[in-house]
């Protein structure tokens, strides 16, 4: 297991479309385990491969709270196959945009098809925070950040601040 370095915005690796995984092998399983360990360490509720510098369709998440047992979800090549008409608003954050939070409106329920850590195809129908977290992570695999869902004015302010923090060496 290893703690991986998380890429902070703005960075071109966060804006690229990710390639699907061809085969779930030991290397992919190791990557998933390292990503989970990294996510728990911060802590965060989701982490996508571009955030550790890899443009492949892999993401992990866990929305359980501190009092509950860990409930990791590994998503390989995830695809949203159904979305609800109803919407939900959550204040979102992202490990690649540290300390910035904004309300994002997304479909309330989604059905996602994906390959799990064992290479099996699965489907989950999610609502609430899990639905939002899944959509947030799948966005990452398309080069989309949560700030791409808010006004360009707010987005540019956040990205400029992050750029400045990087330049000053406050964040890496
Ligand atoms: Ni994120």
């Amino acid at each position: 297991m290893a703690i991986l370095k998380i890429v902070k915005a703005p960075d071109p690796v966060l804006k690229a479309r990710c390639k699907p995984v061809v085969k779930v092998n030991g290397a992919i399983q190791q990557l998933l385990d390292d990503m989970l360990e990294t996510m728990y360490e911060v802590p965060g509720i989701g982490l996508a491969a571009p955030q550790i510098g890899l443009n492949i369709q892999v993401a992990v998440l866990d929305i359980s709270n501190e009092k509950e047992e860990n409930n990791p979800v590994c998503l390989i090549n995830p695809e949203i196959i159904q979305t609800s008409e109803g919407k939900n608003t959550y204040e979102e954050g992202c490990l690649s945009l540290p300390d910035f939070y904004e309300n994002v409106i997304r479909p309330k329920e989604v059905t996602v098809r994906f390959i799990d850590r064992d290479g099996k195809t699965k489907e989950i129908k999610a609502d609430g925070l899990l639905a939002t977290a899944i959509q947030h992570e799948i966005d990452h695999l398309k080069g989309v950040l949560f700030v791409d869902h808010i006004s360009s004015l707010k987005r540019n302010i956040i990205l400029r601040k992050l750029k400045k923090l990087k330049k000053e060496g406050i964040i890496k």
Side-chain angles (χ1 to χ4, degrees):
M1 302 274 269
I3 304 287
L4 307 165
K5 183 180 175 276
I6 296 175
V7 177
K8 311 294 189 316
D11 191 297
V13 79
L14 297 172
K15 301 304 293 172
R17 269 193 164 268
C18 295
K19 292 202 170 75
V21 171
V22 182
K23 194 176 175 220
V24 179
N25 57 17
I28 291 290
Q29 289 173 333
Q30 182 65 57
L31 174 69
L32 287 162
D33 295 345
D34 289 345
M35 285 172 67
L36 280 167
E37 194 184 3
T38 303
M39 179 188 79
Y40 288 131
E41 169 80 15
V42 181
I45 64 167
L47 185 67
Q51 295 181 276
I52 47 125
L54 292 176
N55 285 126
I56 56 170
Q57 292 179 20
V58 169
V60 294
L61 54 109
D62 188 339
I63 60 151
S64 63
N65 64 41
E66 300 136 32
K67 289 170 206 148
E68 294 168 333
E69 264 188 52
N70 285 351
N71 185 20
V73 179
C74 296
L75 302 175
I76 300 168
N77 302 347
E79 196 188 344
I80 289 172
I81 54 173
Q82 212 170 3
T83 55
S84 65
E85 292 277 325
K87 308 281 184 201
N88 226 346
T89 305
Y90 270 102
E91 190 177 55
E92 294 189 26
C94 180
L95 300 180
S96 293
L97 297 135
D99 301 325
F100 291 100
Y101 302 90
E102 289 289 340
N103 281 334
V104 178
I105 305 164
R106 298 183 188 268
K108 192 173 180 295
E109 295 166 3
V110 294
T111 305
V112 61
R113 186 183 293 151
F114 60 99
I115 300 170
D116 72 5
R117 194 184 174 282
D118 299 319
K120 292 194 186 99
T121 300
K122 279 195 177 165
E123 270 180 33
I124 292 181
K125 189 171 181 188
D127 66 2
L129 179 59
L130 183 60
T132 289
I134 286 172
Q135 292 174 82
H136 178 119
E137 296 315 319
I138 292 178
D139 267 0
H140 272 299
L141 307 181
K142 296 173 180 166
V144 175
L145 301 174
F146 83 83
V147 289
D148 293 318
H149 293 281
I150 64 176
S151 75
S152 57
L153 183 71
K154 280 187 185 170
R155 175 169 62 248
N156 290 337
I157 290 170
I158 291 173
L159 292 174
R160 261 205 307 274
K161 282 184 184 164
L162 282 164
K163 213 171 170 179
K164 193 160 169 264
L165 291 171
K166 274 188 172 181
K167 213 173 153 187
E168 290 168 352
I170 295 163
I171 58 166
K172 280 183 219 144

